Amino acid sequence: MTLTNVINGARQSGAGGSDLVDPATGEVFGTAVVSGEAEVDAAVRAAEAAFPAWSRTTPGERMSALLKLADLLEANASTVADAEVRETGKIRDVVLTEEIPQCADQIRFFAGAARLLHSASAGEYLEGHTSYQRREPVGVIAQITPWNYPLMMAVWKIAPALAAGNTVVVKPADTTPTSTVLLAELAAQVLPPGVFNVVLGDRDTGRLLVEHPVPAMVSITGSTRAGIEVARSAAATLKRTHLELGGNAPVLVFDDVDVPAVASAVVGAAYYNAGQDCTAATRVLVHSAVHEQFVAALADAASATVPGKDFGPLNSAAQLSRVLGLIERLPSHATVHCGGKQFGDRGFFFSPTVVSGLRQDDEIVQEEAFAPVITVQSFADDDEAVYLANDVPQGLASSVWTGSADRAARLTPRLDYGVVWVNTHGPITPEMPHGGFGQSGYGKDLSMHGLEDYTRVKHVMQAH
């Protein structure tokens, strides 16, 4: 199998090729083209040519097309799930029952949201003149998606951009491109040619796309390092940027909770998708009064979790090596209660891991593990809990677990994170924004804020 680009609604080849590897087995099952300057330019020019007509469609027309795309995605769920599982190792039932339905729902949300853009009322703000505001599409959008949720992150990118009237060129991660290609082929059945294009390739392909003079905006979901590189490259031509970057989510657990129940919930939120989630609940902060009890409960719940059954492998040999390095470099004051090693002798699975005894400046506390690894620290009071939670560069998501509504109300404003959950961790809904602060980037995915990020505002003033 050789996977190719989708440009102007049709598959088009590119130069070179890279191996596609099943992370559950470590075996190569196909190749994908690696796009160079010519292929990137062709995709961008296709999007540029399609923009004038697509930007002039009515919100109702764009809504209709996106609703049809959501229907097509559901109708082809089995094929898309097979592609997603083969390249990520995810549990197939999870993809079919959770991820694809969410993707369809998110597309439908933005389909409806296209008709609900609001701005200030027209009025006479200066005597003798009437002013109003227009929200307009930005233009051609360059979009780069990660390997942890290939399909869902493609949906998060394309749905609001297309709903707002933009055209897009998406570069998926080089290890997980197939579901994005399938999504583009489904979209070609309901969208005009050139509106949604996909170029495959590596980091150099992404750089070519970001540096191309035509795109007016670049949106990336990825690591903080990747976001910084994109922002630096985009600055050369003053492109707008939308950055959803790494997380390192703190989980604040107080001494008034049901310890076994909360420990089980935290393990589920930490190990979902093998912990390869920017919002994974892996940095646990526990009140000192229940610290030892909670660590024991975490270790019990973690030990009962089975790689390959409850979650899939890490994405690649490189990711497995990186996580093993974090464990090998643990300081002597750390204690590994379970896991801490590769699971099995086939593929890139990692054992569910719990590490305690850590200090705030330890590498594994300050750096996002992106793996089924839970770190545990203790705190004495609310102030210390907030300090430990905020004392990292990232600021994407967090959660507070307590039986006190008053404490939750007091702490949530003090947590420097774009998302704060209370007595839960991880649920998302398309009506609410998702995005972080600090080195977790800026801009919002989902919600009306996500749609507005793909628009520009124009003031029109007419003299009487």
Side-chain angles (χ1 to χ4, degrees):
M1 182 191 86
T2 299
L3 199 65
T4 60
N5 300 324
V6 179
I7 300 173
N8 253 338
R11 288 206 181 196
Q12 297 189 20
S13 63
S18 63
D19 288 340
L20 296 174
V21 177
D22 183 340
T25 64
E27 296 173 356
V28 175
F29 66 85
T31 60
V33 301
V34 177
S35 300
E37 188 170 350
E39 293 79 24
V40 170
D41 185 66
V44 171
R45 298 300 177 184
E48 182 182 35
F51 175 72
W54 180 249
S55 65
R56 289 194 298 270
T57 56
T58 66
E61 290 171 321
R62 296 195 294 273
M63 180 194 74
S64 178
L66 288 172
L67 289 176
K68 291 175 183 176
L69 177 57
D71 291 343
L72 282 171
L73 178 58
E74 287 183 332
N76 291 272
S78 182
T79 300
V80 175
D82 287 342
E84 190 89 346
V85 170
R86 186 171 59 242
E87 292 180 346
T88 65
K90 294 173 186 280
I91 307 303
R92 190 174 191 275
D93 185 62
V94 172
V95 176
L96 279 172
T97 63
E98 297 182 25
E99 294 190 14
I100 290 178
Q102 280 193 41
C103 289
D105 185 49
Q106 290 152 2
I107 293 171
R108 291 185 177 113
F109 169 80
F110 283 111
R115 305 182 77 158
L116 292 173
L117 278 172
H118 295 290
S119 197
S121 299
E124 289 65 51
Y125 301 99
L126 181 66
E127 185 176 353
H129 299 75
T130 295
S131 288
Y132 64 93
Q133 296 178 27
R134 291 176 51 88
R135 278 203 174 270
E136 301 176 341
V138 176
V140 175
I141 314 294
Q143 301 181 318
I144 298 174
T145 57
W147 44 255
N148 59 333
Y149 292 101
L151 176 66
M152 189 174 295
M153 293 302 98
V155 166
W156 283 23
K157 291 278 182 275
I158 66 129
L162 298 180
N166 302 283
T167 56
V168 302
V169 180
V170 180
K171 193 206 85 66
D174 56 351
T175 58
T176 57
T178 305
S179 60
T180 304
V181 168
L182 293 176
L183 181 66
E185 291 183 326
L186 294 175
Q189 299 179 42
V190 296
L191 297 175
V195 171
F196 176 10
N197 308 275
V198 177
V199 291
L200 309 183
D202 53 18
R203 187 180 299 178
D204 288 337
T205 306
R207 177 182 54 78
L208 289 170
L209 180 59
V210 172
E211 293 178 355
H212 196 286
V214 168
M217 177 177 170
V218 181
S219 176
I220 179 175
T221 296
S223 67
T224 297
R225 174 201 54 76
I228 291 171
E229 291 179 5
V230 164
R232 185 181 292 119
S233 295
T237 49
L238 291 179
K239 292 179 174 68
R240 290 173 59 172
T241 52
H242 181 282
L243 310 176
E244 200 279 288
L245 309 178
N248 196 0
V251 178
L252 284 64
V253 180
F254 288 86
D255 58 352
D256 56 355
V257 301
D258 180 331
V259 168
V262 172
S264 178
V266 168
V267 163
Y271 297 159
Y272 187 87
N273 201 38
Q276 297 171 124
D277 188 316
C278 292
T279 65
T282 53
R283 192 162 61 92
V284 177
L285 310 174
V286 186
H287 193 281
S288 56
V290 293
H291 175 265
E292 290 188 13
Q293 181 186 0
F294 198 81
V295 170
L298 281 176
D300 287 344
S303 298
T305 304
V306 181
K309 176 179 176 291
D310 297 308
F311 60 79
L314 298 179
N315 174 254
S316 63
Q319 176 67 359
L320 175 61
S321 176
R322 175 187 166 276
V323 176
L324 286 169
L326 285 173
I327 300 299
E328 290 167 0
R329 293 189 299 273
L330 282 173
S332 58
H333 53 261
T335 300
V336 178
H337 296 269
C338 60
K341 58 187 178 182
Q342 184 174 358
F343 180 87
D345 56 5
R346 192 165 182 257
F348 312 130
F349 292 93
F350 198 79
S351 298
T353 301
V354 175
V355 184
S356 70
L358 294 162
R359 299 169 185 167
Q360 189 67 9
D361 59 354
D362 288 336
E363 177 189 24
I364 202 168
V365 170
Q366 291 293 318
E367 183 173 335
E368 181 182 27
F370 225 59
V373 176
I374 294 174
T375 65
V376 189
Q377 299 167 262
S378 67
F379 62 82
D381 54 32
D382 292 7
D383 289 340
E384 186 179 14
V386 170
Y387 168 76
L388 294 175
N390 289 340
D391 187 35
V392 294
Q394 307 89 353
L396 180 57
S398 60
S399 63
V400 177
W401 299 76
T402 178
S404 168
D406 177 67
R407 174 184 283 123
R410 285 187 285 106
L411 292 187
T412 49
R414 300 175 63 188
L415 291 169
D416 196 18
Y417 290 83
V419 180
V420 182
W421 289 289
V422 177
N423 293 330
T424 188
H425 192 111
I428 58 171
T429 176
E431 292 85 358
M432 289 293 111
H434 182 90
F437 309 141
Q439 291 192 14
S440 290
Y442 47 80
K444 298 298 182 183
D445 289 317
L446 305 179
S447 79
M448 292 301 296
H449 296 286
L451 181 62
E452 290 172 356
D453 276 0
Y454 287 98
T455 66
R456 63 184 189 182
V457 178
K458 177 184 290 182
H459 167 215
V460 179
M461 178 182 279
Q462 182 173 346
H464 297 169

